[in-house]
Amino acid sequence: KSSITLDLAARYSRGWSMPPDAGCSEVRNPGNVLIFAAEDPVDSVVAPRLIAADADMSRISVFESIEHDDGTEDLPRLPSNAAAFEAEIVEKEIGLVIVDVLNCFTDPGLNAYVDTDCRKITTPLAKIAERNNCAILFLRHLNKSTGQSAAHRGGGSMALLGAARVGWLAGQHPDDDEAKVLCCTKSNLAQRPQSIAYNIEKARNGNPRI
């Protein structure tokens, strides 16, 4: 999921569309990206993978920590740090925000499996996105359940997917061990697009790329 998400970030920073459309041959309106990365080190993992995807690094920002009044630093948390979250978006004129993964950036005590707690997180995110005309893409791990529909495979409450306008699932191709698939599990904005199969290869800098 992180590889395909960083590919999306790179494409947005360049103004490239997604295959099977124009791909990298047509430049539309490039934009600025803000990444909240909790699980992968920025210098050794996130940045090299963005470079492998040919991102415009001048348009990529990473929000790693927030400083408290006592001088300590911690991951920015939602909803308590929503104001700082939004200030970063406004200052850097961000069009795409990537939160990888959502549960690492939520306030302690909130339960991702409780609907009311989920709404405490997603409601301020939706308002921030609307006020600043930006898209916010948050990632989740898959749950351990099998035999469920794709829409039910995301970790946490269904309220998380319910709050989103569009849902995506990245997973193994059912008929090709070497391929992955990105499919749309929900779309309230338009007709669902077709699924896209993709492979992960090694780029010239040795990092994975789509």
Side-chain angles (χ1 to χ4, degrees):
K1 65 185 184 307
S2 294
S3 293
I4 191 68
T5 305
L6 293 179
D7 183 78
L8 288 169
R11 290 180 179 280
Y12 184 69
S13 75
R14 294 287 185 184
W16 294 336
S17 61
M18 289 287 288
D21 294 330
C24 303
S25 63
E26 179 183 344
V27 177
R28 297 180 181 178
N29 298 311
N32 299 330
V33 183
L34 179 62
I35 299 175
F36 290 72
E39 296 187 330
D40 295 319
V42 175
D43 291 340
S44 61
V45 177
V46 177
R49 287 186 178 185
L50 285 166
I51 293 170
D54 202 22
D56 180 350
M57 298 302 288
S58 69
R59 289 187 173 274
I60 307 288
S61 301
V62 179
F63 200 158
E64 297 184 76
S65 63
I66 189 167
E67 185 173 343
H68 300 292
D69 293 337
D70 61 2
T72 60
E73 292 187 353
D74 190 13
L75 291 172
R77 303 285 183 174
L78 292 167
S80 62
N81 299 136
F85 184 95
E86 184 168 12
E88 194 81 1
I89 293 172
V90 172
E91 178 185 349
K92 297 180 178 178
E93 299 180 334
I94 299 298
L96 172 62
V97 180
I98 295 172
V99 184
D100 186 6
V101 290
L102 182 63
N103 63 343
C104 290
F105 295 95
T106 58
D107 284 332
L110 294 183
N111 189 333
Y113 287 87
V114 176
D115 286 7
T116 53
D117 282 0
C118 290
R119 291 190 179 93
K120 291 177 183 178
I121 303 165
T122 57
T123 298
L125 284 179
K127 292 180 179 178
I128 289 171
E130 184 175 2
R131 282 195 296 265
N132 297 282
N133 193 31
C134 67
I136 298 178
L137 171 62
F138 62 81
L139 277 68
R140 299 184 290 163
H141 293 295
L142 294 180
N143 58 41
K144 304 301 182 182
S145 301
T146 59
Q148 291 185 327
S149 67
H152 288 82
R153 287 303 315 278
S157 167
M158 278 295 291
L160 292 171
L161 181 61
R165 298 303 85 200
V166 179
W168 295 90
L169 177 68
Q172 184 65 44
H173 194 294
D175 302 318
D176 185 347
D177 292 339
E178 300 299 322
K180 311 291 183 183
V181 176
L182 179 67
C183 67
C184 182
T185 59
K186 171 187 176 179
S187 178
N188 283 3
L189 302 177
Q191 184 177 352
R192 290 189 189 182
Q194 291 184 331
S195 299
I196 297 177
Y198 63 95
N199 294 86
I200 300 176
E201 63 181 16
K202 184 179 291 186
R204 285 176 294 178
N205 68 354
N207 282 273
R209 65 174 292 166
I210 302 301

